[in-house]
Each structure stands twice: as C-alpha cells, then as structure tokens.
Amino acid sequence: AQKVTQAQTEISVVEKEDVTLDCVYETRDTTYYLFWYKQPPSGELVFLIRRNSFDEQNEISGRYSWNFQKSTSSFNFTITASQVVDSAVYFCALRGSGNTGKLIFGQGTTLQVKP
Amino acid sequence: EPEVTQTPSHQVTQMGQEVILRCVPISNHLYFYWYRQILGQKVEFLVSFYNNEISEKSEIFDDQFSVERPDGSNFTLKIRSTKLEDSAMYFCASSESSGRGLQETQYFGPGTRLLVL
C-alpha cells in the first residue's frame, strides 16, 4: 500500500525563521513521483515541486528547498527566512508507477508565520 | 498561463438532490481527475479519466458518482443523490500525461465548495 505521512500537524514560527516540513512516504514501486502543494487560506492547491524517484538531487528555488532521501523515504521541504505570506497548509503527495495518475496525499501541515 | 477552472465556486443543495460540478481542464491536457477535501482533512482521490473512460476510481466513488466529458472542453462530476457527508471541497485536476513522461504534474482548479443541508 502507498502512504504519505506528515507528522507535523501545525507549526508556528516567527517571520524570518527557517522552517522544515517533514514528509515520509511508503511505496513498493521502484518508480514513483513526489510532490509538494501549497493550500493558502483561499483554498486552492498550488503546485510547488515534483521529484521523481531516480533524481535524488536536492533542489533550491528562491527561499524554498527540498531534501529527497530515498534511504529514509523522506522528502522534506524547507522555507528559509519565512514570511507571513508563507502561511498555508502544505501537502506532500505521492504518485506511483501506475498509469492512472492517482495522487496519495499526506494529512498536511499547517504553517503559521507570525509577524 | 493556462489554468484549470471550476464552476460554481460554491454550491448549496438539499440532501437527495443531484448536483453537477463543472471543470474546464487545461486545453492540451489529456488526463483528468477529481479529488475531494472534507473540511480540515487531507485531499482524497476520487477518480481519474482518460480517453473518455474511467482509469481508476476510489472506494469513495460509488454508484452515486459519475463523470463525463460532454464536449471537448468540459469535465463534469455528478452526484446523483447528495448526502450530508458529501459536503466537501471538490477539486478538479488535469495533467498532460500520467505515464513516465516529463509532464507528470497535476494542476488543480480552485475547487467547488459543496454544502449539503
């Protein structure tokens, strides 16, 4: 069975602090894809990043960075110098190698960045 | 930038009524999905659709649910006889492919918030 666990339900930080959101996944597929989506208070789901299982390079995009480690089945997301606009629910998701495209989401982590 | 659109943004209905949620996927995308999110919970997969047929459906997607692509642009989710527990945000998503190609990403619409009274 495939599963995504985001153990942190809520995180609260003060602006300019760095924060890491954890994501641990389970899958028996050798080929799979991992995603992070952001859900701001307005409710939409905004795509942030996709990573496939063959590519373990970490990625940095501005203040965002992602650390993918197959050995620990983790795909963690770090926001550097957090801002109030980063306040949102963040979802990690897994897609297996099947052709239907189904995404399995974690429970989400609510990030609150206080001024 | 192309985006997925959904209508209506909000829908209130009485239990037992039929509702149709509409989506316009990104124009060159071939794979379409519906997900739902009960308030405060995670996003759950309902159904995937390709080449005018369902590719996969979840346990949630029972006989009261159906999907259709009535024309070249719209993708609809119908709930035949709504129940209180159908109250949720329903998201439509589309992707260019779902195989091992590069364009794996699903892009989501803004959602339709359904409230069943």
Side-chain angles (χ1 to χ4, degrees), chain A residues 4 31 33 35 37 39 42-45 47 50 91 95 97-108, chain B residues 31 33 35 37 41-45 48 55-56 89 91 98-110:
Chain A
V4 176
T31 301
Y33 301 84
F35 301 80
Y37 286 87
Q39 187 175 42
S42 49
E44 70 270 28
L45 285 168
F47 165 72
R50 179 187 75 238
F91 290 97
R95 191 185 90 68
S97 59
N99 289 327
T100 65
K102 167 184 172 181
L103 287 177
I104 306 294
F105 282 82
Q107 292 283 0
Chain B
Y31 295 80
Y33 312 87
Y35 293 81
Q37 184 183 30
Q41 298 187 21
K42 68 178 178 181
V43 180
E44 300 174 290
F45 170 79
S48 59
S55 307
E56 183 177 356
M89 178 78 96
F91 290 104
S98 77
R100 295 188 180 186
L102 294 176
Q103 301 300 323
E104 300 286 348
T105 300
Q106 291 178 32
Y107 293 92
F108 285 76

Side-chain angles (χ1 to χ4, degrees), chain A residues 45-58:
Chain A
L45 285 168
V46 179
F47 165 72
L48 295 178
I49 191 170
R50 179 187 75 238
R51 173 66 70 229
N52 74 51
S53 53
F54 298 122
D55 182 2
E56 288 195 68
Q57 284 189 351
N58 292 328

Side-chain angles (χ1 to χ4, degrees), chain B residues 77-95:
Chain B
L77 173 69
K78 181 192 289 186
I79 309 175
R80 266 180 269 280
S81 178
T82 50
K83 303 172 187 171
L84 296 177
E85 54 264 37
D86 293 328
S87 295
M89 178 78 96
Y90 288 82
F91 290 104
C92 173
S94 69
S95 64

